[in-house]
Amino acid sequence: MKLLTTLAATALSFLFTSASVIRSPNDGPAFPQDFADPSVTEDEDGTWYAFGTTGNGKQIQVAKSKCLYGKWNLLDEIDAMPKPAAWTTGRNTWAPDVHQVADGSYVMYYSGEVAANSAHHCVGTATSDTITGPFVPDEEPFACNLTIGGSIDASGFQDVDGKRYVLYKIDGNSVGHGGSCSNTVRPIVSTPIMLQEVGDDGVTKIGDPVQILDRTDGDGPLVEAPSVVRTEDGMYILFFSSGCYLEPTYNVNYATSMSLQGPYQRAERPMIRTGEYSLQAPGGATAVNVRDKVGIVFHANCPAGRCMYTEPTVINGREVKVAM
């Protein structure tokens, strides 16, 4: 009985603490500095770390918080990957995503600007013994077919059976024929979301990647920034962005499936769009399981550039909303 009482008190304390620090999008960004394409991970001690695209003088930015929905602070002395891979230009490193793997070390997925052709990015991997790095990049990119535009926006996922996967976007609009984000002038180029199984190290590929989503005319030039979570009832939610990140059309969108490989059923409308919650061009969301809930982090335009927002969600059947 004493144990049950202690557990109940702990749970209740967590609920009250969480409720007291959860921010609304109307409250402004959780981190009001330029911190585009954010991803987050909770370390073993309960500390949350966020990783952001090149900015604030860092190749890979790192911020820290005691709570996903609380106040975030930039670790100004840390660049998570100070020495970029030789295959990259060492500039414009996008969308880092960090996960702990089986041996206790950490793997980072990132989008590196290709030295041989800086019009394109490819997905790279890097490893570290500690969550904040320094991450040492692998010599070769993880996914890099420049004939179809290269690849960007990789994110890791571990399923309930222990298998690991990497999702990424084939950056077809980078070889598009003009218009919004270079891909609204016909012929329109495909920008599929791919799912690649990997080994326990988070890097070694197992089999070939499979396509789980692609753009439609309703998406405009592209779909990108994939991130998947599994709910307690076994539903997979694939978050992604459509529209163009340079324009108000950019959004946080999602699709659902009872199988990781799909098929995915698209939502009737994006979850977050320009004008809602006073946001401009929201996108680049990463989803995480927070206890028995699903939280998201994403960026939106702000005076500093693109600032990070953190929000819980409410799930009703296949409908996902920002918790307000």
Side-chain angles (χ1 to χ4, degrees):
M1 178 64 71
K2 182 177 180 181
L3 175 60
L4 291 175
T5 302
T6 302
L7 289 173
T10 302
L12 190 62
S13 173
F14 171 77
L15 288 173
F16 280 124
T17 301
S18 298
S20 67
V21 298
I22 290 176
R23 304 170 58 88
S24 159
N26 292 315
D27 295 332
F31 185 60
Q33 298 186 39
D34 187 26
F35 203 87
D37 307 312
S39 71
V40 291
T41 188
E42 185 179 18
D43 207 12
E44 295 171 315
D45 65 358
T47 302
W48 286 88
Y49 292 88
F51 301 85
T53 280
T54 296
N56 293 307
K58 306 292 189 299
Q59 183 84 217
I60 298 292
Q61 303 182 76
V62 187
K64 181 179 177 180
S65 179
K66 294 180 179 178
C67 173
L68 175 61
Y69 308 119
K71 180 182 178 181
W72 289 80
N73 295 298
L74 183 69
L75 299 183
D76 196 47
E77 73 283 3
I78 291 177
D79 184 334
M81 192 172 66
K83 295 182 179 180
W87 60 266
T88 74
T89 64
R91 304 184 303 271
N92 301 318
T93 304
W94 299 343
D97 186 59
V98 171
H99 293 266
Q100 191 171 31
V101 293
D103 66 359
S105 65
Y106 298 85
V107 61
M108 175 193 289
Y109 309 105
Y110 66 93
S111 306
E113 188 176 78
V114 179
N117 187 341
S118 61
H120 303 292
H121 279 66
C122 286
V123 170
T125 52
T127 55
S128 173
D129 290 332
T130 59
I131 192 168
T132 58
F135 282 83
V136 178
D138 293 320
E139 294 182 357
E140 299 296 329
F142 179 84
C144 190
N145 185 344
L146 296 183
T147 65
I148 54 176
S151 303
I152 63 170
D153 293 348
S155 64
F157 173 71
Q158 185 173 23
D159 211 346
V160 288
D161 60 3
K163 291 183 178 180
R164 292 181 179 272
Y165 300 85
V166 179
L167 298 89
Y168 60 90
K169 169 210 176 184
I170 292 181
D171 201 22
N173 55 291
S174 73
V175 290
H177 302 94
S180 176
C181 271
S182 302
N183 200 31
T184 52
V185 174
R186 295 189 181 278
I188 306 300
V189 182
S190 177
T191 64
I193 303 300
M194 309 302 292
L195 179 72
Q196 171 70 63
E197 186 178 353
V198 292
D200 288 343
D201 61 0
V203 174
T204 303
K205 297 175 186 176
I206 299 175
D208 295 324
V210 296
Q211 178 180 317
I212 59 173
L213 197 76
D214 199 357
R215 63 163 298 285
T216 66
D217 288 344
D219 293 312
L222 54 82
V223 290
E224 63 185 13
S227 177
V228 70
V229 291
R230 184 184 186 274
T231 64
E232 287 194 321
D233 63 359
M235 183 175 72
Y236 296 88
I237 308 173
L238 174 63
F239 292 89
F240 63 95
S241 287
S242 57
C244 178
Y245 79 98
L246 296 169
E247 301 168 5
T249 56
Y250 209 50
N251 59 57
V252 176
N253 213 329
Y254 69 96
T256 57
S257 176
M258 297 309 293
S259 167
L260 178 61
Q261 288 79 16
Y264 280 86
Q265 178 181 316
R266 287 168 170 265
E268 293 183 359
R269 48 150 294 180
M271 188 172 73
I272 311 174
R273 297 181 288 191
T274 290
E276 297 173 336
Y277 316 113
S278 303
L279 297 171
Q280 294 294 317
T286 294
V288 289
N289 294 105
V290 187
R291 312 303 182 261
D292 61 342
K293 306 295 183 183
V294 173
I296 61 167
V297 300
F298 61 95
H299 70 238
N301 291 353
C302 65
R306 287 179 288 174
C307 292
M308 182 176 76
Y309 290 76
T310 61
E311 305 298 335
T313 66
V314 174
I315 301 169
N316 182 15
R318 291 199 170 209
E319 183 181 36
V320 185
K321 294 183 177 180
V322 174
M324 292 294 293

